[in-house]
Amino acid sequence: MQNQEKNPIPVMNDQEDTEKQIERVKLEIDGQPVEIEKGTTILEAARNIGVNIPTLCYLKDINEIGACRVCLVEVEGRKSLPAACIYPVEEGMKVRTNTSRVRKARKKIVEMLLSNHHRECTACIRNLNCELQNVADSLGVRNIEPTGETMRYEIHQNNPAIQRDYNKCIHCRRCESICSKIQECYVYSAQKRGFDTVIAPTFMRDLGDVACIMCGQCVIACPTASLADKENINPVWMALEDPQNHVVVQTAPSIQVTLGEEFGLPVGTKVTGKMVTALRRLGFDQVFATDFAADLTIMEEAYEFVERLEQNKLPFLTSCCPGWIKFCEHFYPQLIPYVSTCKSPMAMFGALCRHYHYQERGIPRERMISVAIMPCTAKKYEAARPEHGDGERPDIDYVLTTRELARMIRQAGIDFANLPDDEFDAPLGTYTGAGTIFGATGGVMEAALRTAWWVMNGGKEMADAPKKRTREQTVEFREIRGQSGLKLTHVMLGGRDIHVAVAHGTGNARRILDAILGGEKIDYVEIMACPGGCVGGGGQPILSGRDHKKLSLDYRHNRADALYEIDYNKHLRNSYENPTIQRIYEEYLGHPGSEVAQKLLHTHYRARGNMPNVRE
Amino acid sequence: MDKIKRYMAANRWDAPHIDTAKLIKDKDKKAKLDQALEEFRDKPGQLVRVLQKAQEIFGYIPEGVQVYVADRMSIPISEVAGVVSFYSTFSTRPKGKYTIGVCLGTTCYVKGAQDIVKALKKELSIDVTETTKDGLFSLTSSRCVGACGMAPVMAINGEIYSRVKAEDVPFILAKYRDRVAEEENFNGQS
């Protein structure tokens, strides 16, 4: 399907230049000689010479615990079969990965895992994209002999975003690792022992009842359907089928660079036009872009930042990511006053849609259904927050993840890859490049800085904005792009030296927030809960499947690059240049931070605890 | 729309802010636990020690105590709950005044330990690992206690009963019930 990702670890060939620094060992895998860095595992060494050892619990650099034993290999001179994912290579080692003893052992292990796994494959949300299914297939499992006791648990789904099905859990602990090591939220841990062991939140509570930020990284990490997004597809179909309804849809910036993956297109393919066509064919009455609301967010946020800068109430923390907001409320409630009061683009869009766009057009309120396609499970939670609605009905009725949209497209029998291109509807589908890069880490910061730079340089009136600006004139902030976990830089704004920081993954966010609490001077912080920003979101296509290399999460680069490419090729690349934004402020909102804007586009947060509710 | 309203009303998901200082109501026990925490909390890997103390002080480790310990030791609560639920020494439910342990080692098993368990279950109307409603007895099974010569063996709060027969069970239990009744009488008079 795609050849862009080559494994980065050097092997065998260029011995001379690295020989001095790094100790290397020679071994033999399946008769092939290998020379590789000392400390490498048998698994990585084998993969480098094209020998594929099956794995289940292994997530490179994140979960290397040898729990599932599917990667067993034979090592000459050793009685037992070691797990290749944790066994380091040794000088003169002779490894065999394909003997009948190895095949038999692996098969038995998978059979035992399957014997205690709720095998409803054809009705499963991960059917055809399940690692357990793939491993069973490639090992040729035909008969599941063990028929012992099986787990019987209810599905835990008392929250708007993520459901946990313990009957499909294989105890690989990948969810626990990603939650503790990358996100540092420590939601999961092994509870109980022996056969009763579950990898569960504290006291085996629902994810909604513990300090979980709903980011969905555990859903991406899960090899089976033990963790999955809560589907909203059916109510959306029902809303679409009623001809009296007026169903509007907004798509987040990152969807246009990831949706194609679900239909076999290479990672990083831009499918904006096809996506719009597909949404029209599904029956949505108007197709809009959240990118537009991102521009609006930037206007509000940039002005709020300039105001806060004048008041000297810093640091200023962005508020676009619902996972990060929940993280802050749970773990850093003392920093809530510093978080921007701007709603996220999705919520701004929802409010604007309800109160501005449709009141004007005379569509009955209850007939207006607002759907959002998001790369994110936390957005499902955000839409259900009581602040985003009138108390009776949420501003956004349904949130679908990228995966759910792909399922709808498949259900409708649409041949996605061969669709013609189409364009977003006006007016709420007009957006600039600044809105698009929201989907990558550093994007919100860059977009905000572009506008803040303009505001600080005298651009007080929006009408002053040049109608067309060539892309070369746009001020770019390339230092804050890219996939390193923490990015720091400083920019001069209005004669002041502004220290900006960008973090993605809430573990990295902790580093910055702890530094701020320790007195570090940081003025402006962008935080995205997921590694890579929205392009690595918990609602994005799961690419584990057959190709294990993709688990290395490298695909975030390709997705982010595609977003920056869209930005670069746009005529309008600054939020204040967006003609719809200019019109909305002229006709309705007045100016950024006005009373109407405060009411519709701003919100408030509240401190939450980081412990589950105690029951006696 | 009703559906959404109902959904929103039915799903109140949250981890509310908890004042951990108020979690433990018994002041004496809290002071004892605080003392243990003071001793161990800054040393790495001492969670089990603290939990052992907590088990000693409270007789069991309820959720409130787990949250309190996690908060004071700055250890994720998921980890604390994991440790508590892993070791059989720790109990999350209150244990009875008397803990009955029936040895299920090989010899005792062969000599009819199962019949004793059955008799105990019937007499106490509880299952293994449960506690009677009056809080008097908890029933557990234990591994070999090393007294195979006296099999089958059962222990009540450390008192060993050897060569127990199923029909002895009611008499043994009666002894403890009487003892409690006597104590109550004594307390009532004084």
Side-chain angles (χ1 to χ4, degrees), chain A residues 158-160 186-193 202-203 205 208-211 230 330 369 381 384 386 392-394 397-398 606 608-616, chain B residues 1 3-5 7-8 10-18 20 23 60 62-67 70-71 75-83 85-88:
Chain A
N158 189 25
N159 69 76
Y186 308 101
V187 168
Y188 299 100
S189 158
Q191 316 273 327
K192 303 193 221 173
R193 65 191 290 179
T202 312
F203 310 140
R205 291 282 155 76
D209 299 330
V210 298
K230 267 183 83 172
H330 279 305
I369 311 275
Y381 152 80
E392 288 187 6
R393 188 176 166 189
D397 293 303
Y398 305 108
R606 67 194 177 95
R608 294 166 204 267
N610 56 9
M611 297 286 176
N613 205 356
V614 174
R615 289 176 206 160
E616 286 308 321
Chain B
M1 280 325 98
K3 236 184 182 175
I4 299 168
K5 265 193 232 167
Y7 177 76
M8 285 185 72
N11 291 281
R12 262 176 270 118
W13 48 85
D14 207 354
H17 185 74
I18 295 174
T20 46
L23 276 174
Y60 70 118
E63 289 181 0
V65 174
Q66 294 182 39
V67 168
D71 188 46
I75 294 172
I77 177 66
S78 54
E79 195 183 320
V80 174
V83 170
S85 61
F86 181 84
Y87 292 105
S88 55

